[in-house]
mmCIF file of all heavy atoms in Angstrom:
data_model
loop_
_atom_site.group_PDB
_atom_site.id
_atom_site.type_symbol
_atom_site.label_atom_id
_atom_site.label_comp_id
_atom_site.label_asym_id
_atom_site.label_seq_id
_atom_site.Cartn_x
_atom_site.Cartn_y
_atom_site.Cartn_z
ATOM 1 N N THR A 1 130.113 152.627 4.191
ATOM 2 C CA THR A 1 129.827 152.345 5.556
ATOM 3 C C THR A 1 128.911 151.085 5.826
ATOM 4 O O THR A 1 127.856 151.122 5.197
ATOM 5 C CB THR A 1 129.257 153.585 6.252
ATOM 6 O OG1 THR A 1 130.231 154.722 6.244
ATOM 7 C CG2 THR A 1 128.857 153.316 7.630
ATOM 8 N N ALA A 2 129.428 150.221 6.582
ATOM 9 C CA ALA A 2 128.729 148.977 6.752
ATOM 10 C C ALA A 2 129.436 148.105 7.798
ATOM 11 O O ALA A 2 130.585 148.344 8.131
ATOM 12 C CB ALA A 2 128.507 148.141 5.523
ATOM 13 N N ALA A 3 128.737 147.058 8.249
ATOM 14 C CA ALA A 3 129.469 145.970 8.883
ATOM 15 C C ALA A 3 129.991 144.986 7.927
ATOM 16 O O ALA A 3 129.157 144.564 6.988
ATOM 17 C CB ALA A 3 128.500 145.293 9.928
ATOM 18 N N TYR A 4 131.217 144.731 7.911
ATOM 19 C CA TYR A 4 131.775 143.739 6.922
ATOM 20 C C TYR A 4 132.044 142.401 7.468
ATOM 21 O O TYR A 4 132.507 142.316 8.636
ATOM 22 C CB TYR A 4 133.184 144.392 6.425
ATOM 23 C CG TYR A 4 132.904 145.481 5.507
ATOM 24 C CD1 TYR A 4 132.553 146.813 5.896
ATOM 25 C CD2 TYR A 4 133.236 145.427 4.104
ATOM 26 C CE1 TYR A 4 132.296 147.788 4.907
ATOM 27 C CE2 TYR A 4 133.080 146.378 3.145
ATOM 28 C CZ TYR A 4 132.643 147.533 3.687
ATOM 29 O OH TYR A 4 132.461 148.642 2.754
ATOM 30 N N TYR A 5 131.569 141.358 6.753
ATOM 31 C CA TYR A 5 131.742 140.076 7.204
ATOM 32 C C TYR A 5 132.499 139.220 6.137
ATOM 33 O O TYR A 5 132.409 139.481 4.968
ATOM 34 C CB TYR A 5 130.303 139.394 7.329
ATOM 35 C CG TYR A 5 129.452 140.083 8.303
ATOM 36 C CD1 TYR A 5 128.645 141.176 7.947
ATOM 37 C CD2 TYR A 5 129.335 139.649 9.638
ATOM 38 C CE1 TYR A 5 127.820 141.865 8.869
ATOM 39 C CE2 TYR A 5 128.458 140.182 10.547
ATOM 40 C CZ TYR A 5 127.771 141.328 10.090
ATOM 41 O OH TYR A 5 126.834 141.914 11.008
ATOM 42 N N CYS A 6 133.229 138.177 6.664
ATOM 43 C CA CYS A 6 133.826 137.236 5.686
ATOM 44 C C CYS A 6 133.163 135.913 5.904
ATOM 45 O O CYS A 6 132.646 135.589 6.904
ATOM 46 C CB CYS A 6 135.265 137.147 5.934
ATOM 47 S SG CYS A 6 135.908 136.492 7.422
ATOM 48 N N ALA A 7 133.269 135.136 4.792
ATOM 49 C CA ALA A 7 132.570 133.757 4.884
ATOM 50 C C ALA A 7 133.285 132.948 3.727
ATOM 51 O O ALA A 7 133.897 133.401 2.890
ATOM 52 C CB ALA A 7 131.109 133.939 4.558
ATOM 53 N N ALA A 8 133.032 131.678 3.951
ATOM 54 C CA ALA A 8 133.613 130.713 2.984
ATOM 55 C C ALA A 8 132.541 129.818 2.327
ATOM 56 O O ALA A 8 131.506 129.560 2.826
ATOM 57 C CB ALA A 8 134.596 129.668 3.678
ATOM 58 N N SER A 9 132.796 129.444 1.055
ATOM 59 C CA SER A 9 131.865 128.608 0.231
ATOM 60 C C SER A 9 132.706 127.672 -0.553
ATOM 61 O O SER A 9 133.818 127.786 -0.874
ATOM 62 C CB SER A 9 131.158 129.571 -0.645
ATOM 63 O OG SER A 9 130.291 128.767 -1.546
ATOM 64 N N LEU A 10 132.032 126.454 -0.783
ATOM 65 C CA LEU A 10 132.608 125.491 -1.610
ATOM 66 C C LEU A 10 132.236 125.740 -3.139
ATOM 67 O O LEU A 10 132.673 124.961 -3.996
ATOM 68 C CB LEU A 10 132.039 124.079 -1.282
ATOM 69 C CG LEU A 10 132.620 123.494 0.102
ATOM 70 C CD1 LEU A 10 131.833 122.279 0.357
ATOM 71 C CD2 LEU A 10 133.991 123.408 0.135
ATOM 72 N N LEU A 11 131.423 126.711 -3.389
ATOM 73 C CA LEU A 11 131.080 127.143 -4.818
ATOM 74 C C LEU A 11 131.926 128.358 -5.209
ATOM 75 O O LEU A 11 132.177 129.290 -4.532
ATOM 76 C CB LEU A 11 129.565 127.536 -4.844
ATOM 77 C CG LEU A 11 128.572 126.414 -4.408
ATOM 78 C CD1 LEU A 11 127.207 126.996 -4.459
ATOM 79 C CD2 LEU A 11 128.756 125.228 -5.346
ATOM 80 N N ALA A 12 132.456 128.163 -6.414
ATOM 81 C CA ALA A 12 133.213 129.270 -7.082
ATOM 82 C C ALA A 12 132.307 130.228 -7.750
ATOM 83 O O ALA A 12 131.266 129.781 -8.238
ATOM 84 C CB ALA A 12 134.270 128.672 -8.094
ATOM 85 N N TYR A 13 132.759 131.483 -7.893
ATOM 86 C CA TYR A 13 132.127 132.549 -8.558
ATOM 87 C C TYR A 13 130.720 132.938 -7.958
ATOM 88 O O TYR A 13 129.994 133.803 -8.544
ATOM 89 C CB TYR A 13 131.814 132.115 -9.991
ATOM 90 C CG TYR A 13 133.192 131.642 -10.709
ATOM 91 C CD1 TYR A 13 133.303 130.380 -11.062
ATOM 92 C CD2 TYR A 13 134.219 132.568 -10.892
ATOM 93 C CE1 TYR A 13 134.552 130.026 -11.659
ATOM 94 C CE2 TYR A 13 135.309 132.245 -11.475
ATOM 95 C CZ TYR A 13 135.438 130.819 -11.837
ATOM 96 O OH TYR A 13 136.713 130.489 -12.396
ATOM 97 N N SER A 14 130.351 132.358 -6.763
ATOM 98 C CA SER A 14 129.056 132.837 -6.264
ATOM 99 C C SER A 14 129.181 134.317 -5.655
ATOM 100 O O SER A 14 130.172 134.683 -5.010
ATOM 101 C CB SER A 14 128.692 131.847 -5.091
ATOM 102 O OG SER A 14 127.485 132.326 -4.518
ATOM 103 N N LYS A 15 128.028 134.947 -5.630
ATOM 104 C CA LYS A 15 127.937 136.317 -4.968
ATOM 105 C C LYS A 15 126.743 136.245 -4.090
ATOM 106 O O LYS A 15 126.389 137.291 -3.584
ATOM 107 C CB LYS A 15 127.773 137.368 -6.094
ATOM 108 C CG LYS A 15 128.919 137.632 -7.081
ATOM 109 C CD LYS A 15 128.726 138.722 -7.836
ATOM 110 C CE LYS A 15 129.856 139.009 -8.810
ATOM 111 N NZ LYS A 15 129.689 140.170 -9.734
ATOM 112 N N SER A 16 126.194 135.190 -3.845
ATOM 113 C CA SER A 16 125.001 134.853 -2.990
ATOM 114 C C SER A 16 125.488 134.616 -1.536
ATOM 115 O O SER A 16 126.204 133.513 -1.386
ATOM 116 C CB SER A 16 124.008 133.830 -3.598
ATOM 117 O OG SER A 16 123.051 133.665 -2.647
ATOM 118 N N ALA A 17 124.906 135.239 -0.589
ATOM 119 C CA ALA A 17 125.148 134.941 0.815
ATOM 120 C C ALA A 17 124.651 133.515 1.148
ATOM 121 O O ALA A 17 125.270 132.868 2.113
ATOM 122 C CB ALA A 17 124.590 135.935 1.725
ATOM 123 N N ASP A 18 123.699 133.115 0.447
ATOM 124 C CA ASP A 18 123.101 131.812 0.623
ATOM 125 C C ASP A 18 124.075 130.617 0.382
ATOM 126 O O ASP A 18 123.846 129.601 0.922
ATOM 127 C CB ASP A 18 121.778 131.567 -0.143
ATOM 128 C CG ASP A 18 120.702 132.454 0.274
ATOM 129 O OD1 ASP A 18 120.650 132.947 1.440
ATOM 130 O OD2 ASP A 18 119.778 132.635 -0.508
ATOM 131 N N ASP A 19 125.081 130.892 -0.378
ATOM 132 C CA ASP A 19 126.062 129.926 -0.722
ATOM 133 C C ASP A 19 127.282 129.822 0.147
ATOM 134 O O ASP A 19 128.157 128.955 -0.004
ATOM 135 C CB ASP A 19 126.486 130.081 -2.204
ATOM 136 C CG ASP A 19 125.473 129.863 -3.205
ATOM 137 O OD1 ASP A 19 124.491 128.931 -2.886
ATOM 138 O OD2 ASP A 19 125.471 130.466 -4.226
ATOM 139 N N PHE A 20 127.298 130.698 1.215
ATOM 140 C CA PHE A 20 128.513 130.827 2.107
ATOM 141 C C PHE A 20 128.005 130.477 3.419
ATOM 142 O O PHE A 20 126.933 130.627 3.917
ATOM 143 C CB PHE A 20 128.968 132.251 2.068
ATOM 144 C CG PHE A 20 129.672 132.621 0.782
ATOM 145 C CD1 PHE A 20 128.972 132.938 -0.388
ATOM 146 C CD2 PHE A 20 131.133 132.604 0.797
ATOM 147 C CE1 PHE A 20 129.675 133.311 -1.615
ATOM 148 C CE2 PHE A 20 131.740 132.960 -0.440
ATOM 149 C CZ PHE A 20 131.090 133.171 -1.629
ATOM 150 N N GLY A 21 129.124 129.936 4.195
ATOM 151 C CA GLY A 21 128.902 129.540 5.554
ATOM 152 C C GLY A 21 130.081 129.933 6.329
ATOM 153 O O GLY A 21 130.993 130.695 5.922
ATOM 154 N N SER A 22 130.155 129.518 7.650
ATOM 155 C CA SER A 22 131.281 129.868 8.434
ATOM 156 C C SER A 22 131.470 131.320 8.625
ATOM 157 O O SER A 22 132.690 131.830 8.550
ATOM 158 C CB SER A 22 132.532 129.108 8.050
ATOM 159 O OG SER A 22 132.443 127.738 8.071
ATOM 160 N N TRP A 23 130.438 131.971 8.840
ATOM 161 C CA TRP A 23 130.462 133.473 8.883
ATOM 162 C C TRP A 23 131.250 133.929 10.059
ATOM 163 O O TRP A 23 131.064 133.362 11.189
ATOM 164 C CB TRP A 23 129.057 134.104 8.851
ATOM 165 C CG TRP A 23 128.464 133.857 7.640
ATOM 166 C CD1 TRP A 23 127.526 132.876 7.292
ATOM 167 C CD2 TRP A 23 128.306 134.776 6.535
ATOM 168 N NE1 TRP A 23 126.966 133.015 6.061
ATOM 169 C CE2 TRP A 23 127.431 134.167 5.525
ATOM 170 C CE3 TRP A 23 128.901 136.031 6.272
ATOM 171 C CZ2 TRP A 23 127.154 134.760 4.320
ATOM 172 C CZ3 TRP A 23 128.648 136.623 5.026
ATOM 173 C CH2 TRP A 23 127.826 136.001 4.029
ATOM 174 N N GLY A 24 131.981 135.036 9.971
ATOM 175 C CA GLY A 24 132.480 135.694 11.149
ATOM 176 C C GLY A 24 131.530 136.647 11.814
ATOM 177 O O GLY A 24 130.471 136.709 11.416
ATOM 178 N N GLN A 25 131.986 137.356 12.837
ATOM 179 C CA GLN A 25 131.140 138.134 13.589
ATOM 180 C C GLN A 25 131.000 139.573 12.995
ATOM 181 O O GLN A 25 130.086 140.390 13.474
ATOM 182 C CB GLN A 25 131.618 138.218 15.031
ATOM 183 C CG GLN A 25 131.486 136.932 15.751
ATOM 184 C CD GLN A 25 130.113 136.241 15.720
ATOM 185 O OE1 GLN A 25 129.183 137.028 16.200
ATOM 186 N NE2 GLN A 25 129.951 135.142 15.269
ATOM 187 N N GLY A 26 131.918 139.982 12.147
ATOM 188 C CA GLY A 26 131.871 141.165 11.496
ATOM 189 C C GLY A 26 132.719 142.258 12.050
ATOM 190 O O GLY A 26 133.099 142.270 13.243
ATOM 191 N N THR A 27 133.110 143.208 11.231
ATOM 192 C CA THR A 27 133.835 144.370 11.720
ATOM 193 C C THR A 27 133.285 145.640 11.102
ATOM 194 O O THR A 27 132.976 145.645 9.935
ATOM 195 C CB THR A 27 135.460 144.230 11.383
ATOM 196 O OG1 THR A 27 136.072 145.311 11.946
ATOM 197 C CG2 THR A 27 135.581 144.183 9.892
ATOM 198 N N GLN A 28 133.109 146.730 11.876
ATOM 199 C CA GLN A 28 132.465 147.948 11.518
ATOM 200 C C GLN A 28 133.362 148.881 10.697
ATOM 201 O O GLN A 28 134.417 149.061 11.194
ATOM 202 C CB GLN A 28 131.819 148.578 12.670
ATOM 203 C CG GLN A 28 130.984 149.932 12.189
ATOM 204 C CD GLN A 28 129.804 149.580 11.389
ATOM 205 O OE1 GLN A 28 129.153 148.587 11.618
ATOM 206 N NE2 GLN A 28 129.572 150.597 10.439
ATOM 207 N N VAL A 29 132.920 149.232 9.581
ATOM 208 C CA VAL A 29 133.630 150.272 8.803
ATOM 209 C C VAL A 29 132.805 151.537 8.669
ATOM 210 O O VAL A 29 131.552 151.356 8.201
ATOM 211 C CB VAL A 29 134.003 149.769 7.398
ATOM 212 C CG1 VAL A 29 134.612 150.976 6.517
ATOM 213 C CG2 VAL A 29 135.087 148.692 7.452
ATOM 214 N N THR A 30 133.216 152.698 9.110
ATOM 215 C CA THR A 30 132.383 153.830 9.046
ATOM 216 C C THR A 30 133.278 154.965 8.300
ATOM 217 O O THR A 30 134.385 155.194 8.634
ATOM 218 C CB THR A 30 132.065 154.366 10.545
ATOM 219 O OG1 THR A 30 131.310 153.312 11.094
ATOM 220 C CG2 THR A 30 131.203 155.664 10.374
ATOM 221 N N VAL A 31 132.686 155.511 7.184
ATOM 222 C CA VAL A 31 133.371 156.440 6.373
ATOM 223 C C VAL A 31 132.579 157.677 6.526
ATOM 224 O O VAL A 31 131.429 157.860 6.185
ATOM 225 C CB VAL A 31 133.440 156.000 4.970
ATOM 226 C CG1 VAL A 31 134.220 157.077 4.157
ATOM 227 C CG2 VAL A 31 134.038 154.639 4.752
ATOM 228 N N SER A 32 133.328 158.787 7.001
ATOM 229 C CA SER A 32 132.736 160.091 7.242
ATOM 230 C C SER A 32 133.023 161.033 5.981
ATOM 231 O O SER A 32 133.839 160.786 5.298
ATOM 232 C CB SER A 32 133.204 160.764 8.528
ATOM 233 O OG SER A 32 134.671 160.932 8.378
ATOM 234 N N SER A 33 132.051 161.935 5.856
ATOM 235 C CA SER A 33 132.256 162.857 4.754
ATOM 236 C C SER A 33 133.266 163.917 5.034
ATOM 237 O O SER A 33 133.558 164.271 6.178
ATOM 238 C CB SER A 33 130.818 163.604 4.416
ATOM 239 O OG SER A 33 129.876 162.656 4.169
#
């Protein structure tokens, strides 16, 4: 459960949000028990 965002980077293999830009506004995913 979280807000999910996509983004683009010119760097390969990065897992850091600091390396990504052009962020979307997000879409909410909620998983119930």
Side-chain angles (χ1 to χ4, degrees):
T1 295
Y4 283 71
Y5 301 85
C6 65
S9 176
L10 294 175
L11 299 177
Y13 308 110
S14 177
K15 296 183 178 181
S16 174
D18 292 339
D19 293 330
F20 287 79
S22 300
W23 294 90
Q25 297 301 304
T27 184
Q28 179 68 35
V29 172
T30 302
V31 184
S32 63
S33 300

